[in-house]
Coordinates of all heavy atoms in Angstrom, one line a residue:
T1 N -69.0 51.3 -4.5 CA -67.5 51.6 -4.8 C -67.2 53.0 -4.2 O -68.1 53.8 -4.0 CB -67.2 51.6 -6.2 OG1 -67.8 52.7 -6.9 CG2 -67.6 50.3 -6.9
A2 N -66.0 53.2 -3.9 CA -65.5 54.5 -3.5 C -65.9 55.6 -4.5 O -66.3 56.7 -4.1 CB -64.0 54.5 -3.2
T3 N -65.8 55.3 -5.8 CA -66.1 56.3 -6.8 C -67.6 56.6 -6.7 O -68.0 57.8 -6.9 CB -65.7 55.7 -8.2 OG1 -64.3 55.4 -8.2 CG2 -66.1 56.7 -9.3
Q4 N -68.4 55.6 -6.5 CA -69.9 55.9 -6.4 C -70.2 56.7 -5.2 O -71.0 57.6 -5.3 CB -70.6 54.5 -6.4 CG -70.6 53.8 -7.8 CD -71.2 52.4 -7.7 OE1 -71.1 51.8 -6.6 NE2 -71.8 51.9 -8.8
L5 N -69.6 56.4 -4.1 CA -69.8 57.2 -2.9 C -69.4 58.7 -3.1 O -70.1 59.6 -2.6 CB -69.2 56.6 -1.7 CG -69.6 57.2 -0.3 CD1 -71.1 57.1 -0.1 CD2 -68.9 56.5 0.8
H6 N -68.2 58.9 -3.7 CA -67.8 60.2 -4.0 C -68.9 60.9 -4.9 O -69.3 62.1 -4.6 CB -66.5 60.2 -4.8 CG -65.3 60.2 -3.9 ND1 -65.0 61.1 -2.9 CD2 -64.2 59.3 -4.0 CE1 -63.8 60.8 -2.4 NE2 -63.3 59.7 -3.0
G7 N -69.4 60.2 -5.9 CA -70.4 60.8 -6.7 C -71.7 61.1 -6.0 O -72.3 62.2 -6.3
I8 N -72.1 60.3 -5.1 CA -73.4 60.5 -4.3 C -73.1 61.7 -3.4 O -74.0 62.6 -3.2 CB -73.8 59.3 -3.5 CG1 -74.2 58.1 -4.5 CG2 -74.9 59.6 -2.6 CD1 -74.3 56.8 -3.8
A9 N -71.9 61.8 -2.9 CA -71.6 63.0 -2.0 C -71.7 64.3 -2.8 O -72.3 65.3 -2.3 CB -70.2 62.8 -1.4
D10 N -71.2 64.3 -4.0 CA -71.2 65.5 -4.9 C -72.7 65.8 -5.2 O -73.1 66.9 -5.2 CB -70.4 65.3 -6.1 CG -68.9 65.3 -5.9 OD1 -68.5 65.9 -4.9 OD2 -68.2 64.7 -6.7
L11 N -73.5 64.7 -5.6 CA -74.9 64.9 -5.9 C -75.6 65.6 -4.8 O -76.4 66.5 -5.0 CB -75.5 63.6 -6.3 CG -76.9 63.5 -6.8 CD1 -77.1 62.2 -7.6 CD2 -77.9 63.4 -5.6
A12 N -75.4 65.1 -3.6 CA -76.1 65.6 -2.4 C -75.7 67.1 -2.1 O -76.5 67.9 -1.8 CB -75.8 64.8 -1.2
A13 N -74.4 67.4 -2.3 CA -73.9 68.7 -2.1 C -74.4 69.7 -3.2 O -74.8 70.8 -2.9 CB -72.4 68.7 -2.0
D14 N -74.4 69.2 -4.5 CA -74.8 70.1 -5.6 C -76.3 70.3 -5.7 O -76.7 71.4 -6.0 CB -74.3 69.5 -6.9 CG -72.8 69.5 -7.0 OD1 -72.1 70.2 -6.2 OD2 -72.2 68.7 -7.8
W15 N -77.1 69.3 -5.5 CA -78.5 69.4 -5.7 C -79.4 69.0 -4.6 O -80.6 69.1 -4.7 CB -78.8 68.5 -7.0 CG -78.1 69.0 -8.2 CD1 -77.8 70.2 -8.6 CD2 -77.4 68.1 -9.1 NE1 -77.1 70.2 -9.8 CE2 -76.8 68.9 -10.1 CE3 -77.3 66.7 -9.3 CZ2 -76.1 68.4 -11.2 CZ3 -76.6 66.2 -10.3 CH2 -76.0 67.1 -11.3
G16 N -78.9 68.5 -3.5 CA -79.7 68.1 -2.3 C -79.3 68.9 -1.1 O -78.8 70.0 -1.2
G17 N -79.6 68.3 0.0 CA -79.4 69.0 1.3 C -78.0 68.8 1.9 O -77.7 69.2 3.0
G18 N -77.1 68.2 1.1 CA -75.7 68.1 1.6 C -75.5 66.9 2.4 O -74.5 66.8 3.1
Y19 N -76.4 65.9 2.4 CA -76.3 64.7 3.2 C -77.1 63.6 2.5 O -77.9 63.8 1.6 CB -76.9 64.9 4.6 CG -78.3 65.2 4.7 CD1 -79.3 64.2 4.8 CD2 -78.8 66.6 4.5 CE1 -80.6 64.5 4.9 CE2 -80.1 66.9 4.5 CZ -81.1 65.8 4.7 OH -82.4 66.1 4.7
A20 N -76.8 62.4 3.0 CA -77.5 61.2 2.6 C -77.9 60.4 3.8 O -77.3 60.5 4.9 CB -76.7 60.3 1.6
Q21 N -78.9 59.5 3.6 CA -79.3 58.7 4.8 C -79.2 57.2 4.3 O -79.7 56.8 3.3 CB -80.8 59.0 5.2 CG -80.9 60.4 5.7 CD -82.4 60.8 5.8 OE1 -83.2 60.4 5.0 NE2 -82.7 61.6 6.8
I22 N -78.6 56.4 5.2 CA -78.6 54.9 5.0 C -80.0 54.4 5.4 O -80.5 54.8 6.5 CB -77.5 54.2 5.8 CG1 -76.2 54.9 5.4 CG2 -77.5 52.7 5.4 CD1 -75.0 54.3 6.3
T23 N -80.6 53.6 4.7 CA -82.0 53.1 5.0 C -81.9 51.7 5.5 O -80.9 51.0 5.5 CB -82.9 53.1 3.7 OG1 -82.5 52.0 2.9 CG2 -82.7 54.4 2.9
T24 N -83.1 51.2 6.0 CA -83.2 49.8 6.5 C -83.2 48.8 5.4 O -83.5 47.6 5.7 CB -84.4 49.7 7.4 OG1 -85.6 50.1 6.7 CG2 -84.3 50.5 8.6
R25 N -83.0 49.2 4.1 CA -82.8 48.2 3.0 C -81.4 48.4 2.5 O -81.2 48.1 1.3 CB -83.9 48.4 2.0 CG -85.3 48.0 2.4 CD -86.1 47.4 1.3 NE -85.6 46.2 0.8 CZ -85.7 45.0 1.4 NH1 -86.2 44.9 2.6 NH2 -85.2 43.9 0.8
A26 N -80.5 48.7 3.4 CA -79.0 48.8 3.0 C -78.9 49.6 1.7 O -78.3 49.2 0.7 CB -78.5 47.4 2.8
N27 N -79.4 50.8 1.8 CA -79.6 51.7 0.6 C -79.3 53.1 1.0 O -79.0 53.4 2.2 CB -81.1 51.6 0.1 CG -81.2 51.9 -1.3 OD1 -80.3 52.2 -2.0 ND2 -82.5 51.8 -1.8
L28 N -79.3 54.0 0.1 CA -79.1 55.4 0.4 C -80.2 56.3 -0.3 O -80.7 55.9 -1.3 CB -77.7 55.9 -0.2 CG -76.5 55.5 0.5 CD1 -75.2 55.9 -0.3 CD2 -76.4 56.1 1.9
Q29 N -80.5 57.3 0.4 CA -81.5 58.3 -0.1 C -81.0 59.7 0.2 O -80.4 60.0 1.2 CB -82.9 58.1 0.4 CG -83.1 58.0 1.9 CD -84.4 57.5 2.3 OE1 -85.0 56.7 1.6 NE2 -84.9 58.0 3.4
V30 N -81.2 60.6 -0.8 CA -80.7 62.0 -0.7 C -82.0 62.9 -0.8 O -82.9 62.7 -1.6 CB -79.8 62.3 -1.9 CG1 -79.4 63.8 -1.9 CG2 -78.6 61.4 -1.9
R31 N -82.0 63.8 0.1 CA -83.2 64.7 0.3 C -82.9 66.1 -0.1 O -81.8 66.5 -0.4 CB -83.6 64.7 1.8 CG -84.2 63.3 2.2 CD -84.6 63.3 3.7 NE -85.4 62.1 3.9 CZ -86.7 61.9 3.7 NH1 -87.4 62.9 3.2 NH2 -87.3 60.8 3.9
E32 N -84.0 66.9 -0.1 CA -84.0 68.4 -0.3 C -83.6 68.7 -1.7 O -82.8 69.6 -2.0 CB -83.2 69.1 0.7 CG -83.7 68.8 2.2 CD -82.9 69.6 3.2 OE1 -82.6 70.8 3.0 OE2 -82.5 69.0 4.2
I33 N -84.2 68.0 -2.7 CA -83.9 68.2 -4.1 C -85.0 69.0 -4.7 O -86.2 68.7 -4.6 CB -83.7 66.8 -4.8 CG1 -82.6 66.0 -4.2 CG2 -83.5 67.0 -6.3 CD1 -82.6 64.6 -4.7
A34 N -84.6 70.1 -5.4 CA -85.6 71.0 -6.0 C -86.1 70.3 -7.3 O -85.4 69.5 -7.9 CB -85.0 72.3 -6.3
P35 N -87.3 70.6 -7.8 CA -87.8 70.0 -9.0 C -86.9 70.2 -10.2 O -86.8 69.3 -11.1 CB -89.2 70.6 -9.2 CG -89.6 71.2 -7.9 CD -88.3 71.5 -7.1
A36 N -86.3 71.4 -10.2 CA -85.4 71.7 -11.4 C -84.2 70.7 -11.5 O -83.7 70.6 -12.6 CB -84.9 73.1 -11.2
H37 N -83.9 70.0 -10.5 CA -82.7 69.1 -10.5 C -83.0 67.6 -10.7 O -82.1 66.8 -10.7 CB -81.9 69.3 -9.2 CG -81.5 70.7 -9.0 ND1 -81.0 71.5 -10.0 CD2 -81.5 71.5 -7.8 CE1 -80.7 72.7 -9.4 NE2 -81.0 72.7 -8.2
I38 N -84.3 67.3 -10.7 CA -84.6 65.8 -10.7 C -84.0 65.1 -11.9 O -83.5 63.9 -11.7 CB -86.1 65.6 -10.6 CG1 -86.9 66.2 -11.7 CG2 -86.6 66.1 -9.2 CD1 -88.4 65.8 -11.7
V39 N -84.1 65.6 -13.1 CA -83.5 64.9 -14.2 C -82.0 64.8 -14.1 O -81.4 63.8 -14.4 CB -84.0 65.6 -15.5 CG1 -83.2 65.0 -16.7 CG2 -85.5 65.4 -15.7
K40 N -81.4 65.9 -13.7 CA -79.9 65.9 -13.5 C -79.5 64.8 -12.5 O -78.5 64.1 -12.7 CB -79.4 67.3 -13.1 CG -79.5 68.3 -14.2 CD -78.9 69.7 -13.7 CE -79.9 70.4 -12.8 NZ -79.4 71.8 -12.5
V41 N -80.3 64.7 -11.5 CA -80.0 63.7 -10.5 C -80.1 62.3 -11.1 O -79.2 61.4 -10.9 CB -81.0 63.8 -9.3 CG1 -80.9 62.5 -8.4 CG2 -80.6 65.0 -8.4
L42 N -81.1 62.0 -11.8 CA -81.3 60.7 -12.4 C -80.2 60.4 -13.4 O -79.7 59.2 -13.5 CB -82.7 60.5 -13.1 CG -83.9 60.7 -12.2 CD1 -85.2 60.5 -13.0 CD2 -83.8 59.7 -11.1
V43 N -79.8 61.3 -14.2 CA -78.7 61.2 -15.2 C -77.4 60.9 -14.4 O -76.6 60.0 -14.8 CB -78.6 62.4 -16.1 CG1 -77.4 62.3 -17.0 CG2 -79.9 62.4 -17.0
R44 N -77.1 61.7 -13.4 CA -75.9 61.5 -12.6 C -75.8 60.1 -12.0 O -74.7 59.5 -12.1 CB -75.8 62.6 -11.5 CG -74.6 62.4 -10.6 CD -73.3 62.8 -11.3 NE -73.2 64.2 -11.6 CZ -72.9 65.2 -10.8 NH1 -72.5 64.9 -9.5 NH2 -72.8 66.4 -11.2

């Protein structure tokens, strides 16, 4: 949904490298996350 994509964009900007990658399983992954943020990412 558009709401989910907005949320992933915020997650990537707040706790990742500011980008996401579409994968070959029609999926998304977000990189450059510090250990301090992993629980916040899962909860978000």
Side-chain angles (χ1 to χ4, degrees):
T1 68
T3 299
Q4 288 171 330
L5 189 57
H6 275 305
I8 295 168
D10 287 336
L11 184 156
D14 293 344
W15 301 317
Y19 62 94
Q21 295 168 324
I22 307 174
T23 77
T24 53
R25 292 212 63 76
N27 204 359
L28 286 173
Q29 54 193 32
V30 177
R31 292 182 169 272
E32 300 182 46
I33 300 169
H37 301 318
I38 58 175
V39 171
K40 290 183 284 189
V41 165
L42 297 182
V43 172
R44 176 71 65 84

